[in-house]
């Protein structure tokens, strides 16, 4: 399936303060990868660099053989950790927008998922609860047949039922050859959907491995391992 | 029957056991079509690759088979399922005996204990 | 993609401008109807004119504020998460904002002019003034051997160049402010002031050179010819155009190569 995302000597700093410093990382197609770390460890910085919202201080980010730019934005589906859709729009307006700009967006998939949740397409985003808005965002992002999904805290601050819904939506919708990167600090909640994980702290990769290998070798969950590695 | 997963072992080995038990218990009956990998993964809320790995293992056991385009089916050989049940039973019994030996029971004592308890019905309400 | 961006930009801004245009047209229409029915209003012509002047200032200010806010929020602010991850080129983002803002500026000017002309024209309040303006206009045209069509085209061109120049200067200042890690709004203001003074300096310098070469020296103010004045206007227009392109290139560079959405 080949390498979908490649990071080389990536550095991002603000003045003298380093926010991210990664020598080398490769993400193979068909994998769901957890980007795990405490708050402020550089997860969001990483995601934003790959989505093109931040400019690296130095180094290369290559998605499907292409440097970050218009061409990579066509194949990267990004879910920010905040509400990023225009509030004045109705759900159907946002669907139209995605359809207009993303050729890989599957309108039917999105509509059927929204219908299942009982979301009225004519309802404006402004009048929705925070949780509903988050689900709408996720549905739109997962309705694209992208090569790389970047999900920043998709389950942050939602109730357990919504969390299950979100995880189910992710695993049943991502493109099979794609890479899904889930950045979160809620490890216990996501670990069973992960193939691989990366521990990140203070902008540096602390550990990267396969979830099942770690369970087999160490006989413990990633969540427990995390608590050990990041013990205060 | 639930998709409850424990923390301390690889997810796929647990999935093999859970699906195996579902087949033994006829939740997935012989010769029936299994849900797709994606659907099973969504049911268990696990990664589809992990589910795939588990299914491959079950296929090696002979419990399920792939029909190229239509999907995966539970085997129609009921004998095979019975054998598998026996195999799991033996494995579980082994674990049980190990634990009893740790409590300083010998095989005769274990047998007696089991017989007595079964007769009185105290420990086996189901 | 540029067309689609412009479409969404209009959809977003329409919600602000159309109701306001509606209010102005409604207000004017009500005034006209009352007038035709010979109903006396409670307020005087003075108040009416003041209202219109305030309205024009208000709507022009609003047009600029919306232009600024759309660029800042939509590209450099929270909505930038969506806009900057769309597969569109950065120049398309900048240009779509610019075109939309300039069109609304025109819209605002036209709505205001229409409202005023309707008021003045139909009420006949300043009939004398109308013919006066006409006379002055015609003699002006005659004096310079120009025709109205040419002048109006030039005027429109001037407004377009000026509007592009003004919006791009603000965009550029905000983009420069964006280069800072903190206090970006303050930095944008400082950048604007710096740009303003730099441009003023360049402008004076260019005029000075022009005067030296064609105006017969430093005392050009005392003996200006009509052609000289027209040329000065043209030079300023060209100058503005060139500076506007500079602003555009700088803005585009920053959005493309130096974006850092926090």
């Amino acid at each position: 399936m080949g390498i979908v995302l490649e990071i080389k000597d990536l550095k991002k700093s603000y003045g003298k303060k380093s926010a991210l410093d990664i020598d080398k990382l490769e993400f193979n197609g068909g994998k769901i990868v957890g980007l795990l770390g405490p708050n402020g460890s550089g997860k969001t910085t990483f995601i934003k660099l790959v989505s093109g919202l931040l400019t690296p201080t130095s180094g290369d980010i290559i998605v499907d053989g292409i440097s970050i730019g218009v061409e990579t934005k066509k194949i990267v589906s990004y879910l920010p950790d905040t509400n990023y859709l225009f509030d004045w729009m109705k759900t159907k307006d946002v669907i139209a927008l995605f359809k207009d700009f993303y050729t890989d967006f599957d309108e039917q998939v999105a509509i059927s998922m929204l219908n299942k949740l009982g979301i009225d397409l004519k309802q404006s985003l402004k009048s929705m609860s925070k949780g509903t808005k988050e689900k709408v965002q996720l549905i739109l992002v997962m309705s694209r047949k992208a090569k790389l999904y970047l999900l920043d805290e998709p389950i942050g601050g939602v109730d357990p039922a919504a969390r299950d819904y979100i995880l189910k939506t992710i695993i049943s919708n991502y493109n099979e050859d794609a890479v899904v990167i889930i950045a979160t600090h809620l490890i216990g909640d996501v670990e069973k959907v992960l193939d691989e994980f990366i521990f990140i702290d203070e902008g540096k990769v602390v550990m990267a491995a396969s979830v099942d290998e770690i369970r087999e070798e160490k006989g413990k969950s990633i969540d427990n391992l995390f608590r050990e590695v990041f013990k205060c | 029957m639930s998709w409850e997963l424990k923390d301390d072992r690889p997810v796929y080995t647990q999935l093999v056991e859970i699906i195996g038990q579902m087949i033994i218990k006829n939740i997935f009956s012989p010769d029936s079509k299994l849900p797709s990998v994606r659907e099973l993964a969504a049911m268990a809320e696990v990664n589809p690759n992990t589910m795939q790995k588990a299914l491959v293992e079950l296929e090696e056991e002979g419990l399920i088979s792939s029909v190229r385009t239509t999907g995966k089916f539970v085997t129609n050989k009921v004998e095979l399922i019975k054998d598998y049940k026996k195999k799991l039973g033996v494995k579980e019994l082994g674990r049980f005996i190990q634990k009893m030996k740790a409590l300083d029971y010998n095989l005769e004592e274990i047998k007696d204990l089991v017989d007595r308890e079964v007769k009185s019905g105290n420990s086996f309400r189901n | 993609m540029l067309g689609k961006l412009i479409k969404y930009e209009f959809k977003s801004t329409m919600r602000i401008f159309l109701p306001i245009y509606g209010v102005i047209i409604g207000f004017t229409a009500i005034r006209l109807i009352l007038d035709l029915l010979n109903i006396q209003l409670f307020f005087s012509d003075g108040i009416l004119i003041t209202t219109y002047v305030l309205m024009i200032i208000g709507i022009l200010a609003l047009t600029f504020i919306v232009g600024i806010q759309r660029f800042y929020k939509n590209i450099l602010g929270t909505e930038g998460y969506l806009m900057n991850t769309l597969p569109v080129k950065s120049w398309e983002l900048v240009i779509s904002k610019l075109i939309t803002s300039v069109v609304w500026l025109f819209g605002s000017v036209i709505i205001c002019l229409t409202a005023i002309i309707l008021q003045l024209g139909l009420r006949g309040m300043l009939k004398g003034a109308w013919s006066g303006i006409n006379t002055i206009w015609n003699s002006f045209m005659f004096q310079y051997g120009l025709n109205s069509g040419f002048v109006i085209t030039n005027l429109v061109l001037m407004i377009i160049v000026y509007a592009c120049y003004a919006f791009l200067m603000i965009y550029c200042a905000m983009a420069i402010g964006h280069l800072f890690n903190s206090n970006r709004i303050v930095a944008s203001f400082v950048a604007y002031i710096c740009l303003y003074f730099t441009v003023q300096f360049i402008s004076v310098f260019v005029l000075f050179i022009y005067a030296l070469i064609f105006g017969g020296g430093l005392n050009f103010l005392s003996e200006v010819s009509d052609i000289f004045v027209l040329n000065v206007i043209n030079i300023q227009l060209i100058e503005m155009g060139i500076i506007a392109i500079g602003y555009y290139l700088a803005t585009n560079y920053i959005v493309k190569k130096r974006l850092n959405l926090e």
Side-chain angles (χ1 to χ4, degrees), chain A residues 152-199:
Chain A
D152 197 355
E153 295 289 359
I155 52 164
V158 301
D159 59 83
R163 183 201 59 200
D164 287 353
Y165 175 81
I166 288 168
L167 291 178
K168 270 187 187 166
T169 305
I170 295 170
I171 52 185
S172 43
N173 285 288
Y174 79 96
N175 208 4
E176 259 172 54
D177 306 332
V179 168
V180 182
I181 299 180
I182 303 177
T184 185
H185 61 279
L186 302 167
I187 294 148
D189 289 338
V190 296
E191 82 167 275
K192 57 185 179 169
V193 308
L194 302 178
D195 285 296
E196 289 164 8
F197 71 93
I198 295 166
F199 280 171

Side-chain angles (χ1 to χ4, degrees), chain C residues 207-223 228:
Chain C
L207 270 185
F208 180 74
I209 298 286
Y210 174 71
L212 266 186
I213 297 169
F214 299 102
L218 280 176
N219 58 342
F220 64 94
L221 277 175
S222 56
E223 39 186 309
F228 180 84

Side-chain angles (χ1 to χ4, degrees), chain C residues 144-156:
Chain C
Y144 295 104
L146 305 165
N147 64 54
S148 299
F150 175 78
V151 171
I152 288 172
T153 317
N154 258 337
L155 219 57
V156 169

Side-chain angles (χ1 to χ4, degrees), chain A residues 12 14-15 48 51-55 70 73-74 78 80 84-86 88-89 93 96-97 100-102, chain C residues 1 4-5 7-8 12 15 74 79 81-88 181 257-262:
Chain A
K12 176 69 185 170
Y14 296 97
K48 281 189 185 174
S51 63
L53 294 177
L54 288 177
T55 309
V70 177
K73 287 172 186 175
K74 285 181 188 167
Y78 165 59
Y84 81 128
L85 299 176
F86 307 150
W88 57 269
M89 282 189 167
D93 297 329
L97 186 142
D100 258 351
F101 286 101
Y102 296 115
Chain C
M1 286 296 182
K4 288 175 186 167
L5 284 174
K7 180 180 96 185
Y8 280 98
S12 309
R15 298 170 309 119
N74 203 243
E79 293 182 355
Y81 281 78
L82 177 58
M83 296 313 286
N84 290 297
T85 48
L86 291 178
V88 295
N181 288 332
K257 300 274 191 188
R258 288 283 175 268
L259 189 72
N260 281 302
L261 285 190
E262 302 303 339

Side-chain angles (χ1 to χ4, degrees), chain B residues 30-71:
Chain B
D31 214 19
S32 69
K33 188 170 180 290
L34 279 175
S36 71
V37 177
R38 284 262 169 150
E39 285 164 346
L40 282 170
M43 284 157 77
E45 288 174 36
V46 298
N47 183 302
N49 290 322
T50 313
M51 183 55 80
Q52 177 64 26
K53 208 167 155 188
L55 293 179
V56 167
E57 191 140 323
L58 285 165
E59 223 170 307
E60 279 164 11
E61 295 275 358
L63 280 186
I64 60 175
S65 59
S66 290
V67 178
R68 203 165 296 153
T69 48
T70 41

